[in-house]
Amino acid sequence: MRVIHFYKYQGTGNDFILIDNRLNTFPKEDTKLVAQLCERRFGVGGDGLILLEDDPEHDFSMIYYNSDGNPSSMCGNGGRCIVAFSQKLGVIQKEETTFSAPDGLHKALFKNNLIHLQMQDVSHIEKVKKGLFLNTGSPHYVEVVKNLDSMDVKKKGAEIRYGVPFNIEGVNVNFVEPIDENHFKVRTYERGVEDETYSCGTGATATAIAMHKGGKTKAEYIILETKGGNLEVTFEVKKEFLGLKIKEYTNVWLIGEANFVFEGTITV
């Protein structure tokens, strides 16, 4: 039997189990244990599990698992939550931080009770099916739809996630409905969770960039309305990348709340 001390955080309804693993006591290869902890009826429950570990060159390291137990790519809301968690633990005692994550280094800032997380630059965006495909730390497909509130996101999202050309690696699927010039409603089906989540940070980032790339907005400050609340994305646009006349999205920031919910122990 093993006793695990955990913390629960959520960012716009995207919820995570966070564990202080600076002593390397968590069995990181035990994917069944991770899935068991994330299970909502028999475990703690969460869209994912995040380990905070020491990093020799930066403030800390973020290790992320989807709720199916498998290690995964970057999670934007999880990134904001681990920044709040690191402050709670006293790992950082300042208003900014730099940490390593599955997709590389990230900076984060505390401003006005919100956590600003710098995301990776994006230059490669391609037209696929009825939408756009891009990677914002995790791969995302973004499609504009009508009547978003009545859509069966789990069914439609799974069809795209497991369909050609995404059926090998899988993809996160975002359905978007414009509300205003810089305001969009988005619902996301997440691979690894295999269901709709209340919010997705890399999905909100991908949606904001895709709406600009697709000509739905000229704004570089975008509000994304999710089931769990609003997120904000800002970026700058460069008209050349590596000498070619293509758009590159740089200085990309994901902004929103990250809230502590509770802490406890579980025997497994």
Side-chain angles (χ1 to χ4, degrees), residues 12-191:
T12 51
N14 206 189
D15 62 336
F16 308 96
I17 302 165
L18 285 104
I19 295 174
D20 180 359
N21 197 41
R22 287 175 290 173
L23 297 179
N24 293 310
T25 57
F26 188 85
K28 294 195 287 186
E29 306 304 318
D30 193 342
T31 57
K32 289 184 179 179
L33 172 61
V34 174
Q36 178 184 348
L37 291 171
C38 290
E39 215 287 325
R40 296 192 181 278
R41 292 171 180 81
F42 302 103
V44 178
D47 291 326
L49 182 145
I50 306 172
L51 302 178
L52 183 147
E53 298 188 349
D54 282 330
D55 187 290
E57 299 180 0
H58 307 286
D59 290 330
F60 59 89
S61 177
M62 171 186 174
I63 311 297
Y64 181 68
Y65 298 83
N66 278 326
S67 62
D68 63 3
N70 292 309
S72 189
S73 47
M74 182 56 183
C75 174
N77 287 331
R80 293 187 302 100
C81 285
I82 199 172
V83 169
F85 182 47
S86 70
Q87 190 181 62
K88 182 178 181 65
L89 294 178
V91 174
I92 60 172
Q93 298 177 341
K94 50 192 177 182
E95 298 304 306
E96 60 182 64
T97 183
T98 301
F99 65 96
S100 60
D103 63 336
L105 292 181
H106 288 265
K107 292 181 180 179
L109 308 171
F110 293 88
K111 290 183 181 179
N112 303 320
N113 296 319
L114 300 177
I115 294 178
H116 297 232
L117 178 66
Q118 189 170 28
M119 307 297 283
Q120 304 297 342
D121 292 353
V122 176
S123 57
H124 182 71
I125 305 173
E126 60 180 297
K127 175 75 175 172
V128 179
K129 294 179 177 289
K130 297 179 181 179
L132 294 174
F133 172 78
L134 63 160
N135 194 307
T136 53
S138 289
H140 282 272
Y141 171 82
V142 182
E143 182 179 319
V144 176
V145 299
K146 295 180 180 179
N147 303 315
L148 178 60
D149 289 342
S150 61
M151 174 174 282
D152 187 339
V153 169
K154 183 175 183 179
K155 180 177 183 293
K156 293 291 187 180
E159 290 173 358
I160 295 172
R161 182 257 196 265
Y162 288 104
V164 177
F166 304 118
N167 51 316
I168 297 176
E169 295 293 331
V171 71
N172 301 287
V173 183
N174 305 272
F175 298 107
V176 191
E177 188 169 28
I179 296 176
D180 207 339
E181 164 65 15
N182 74 326
H183 189 176
F184 298 85
K185 182 178 289 188
V186 57
R187 295 175 65 185
T188 303
Y189 175 98
E190 286 198 53
R191 65 172 188 173

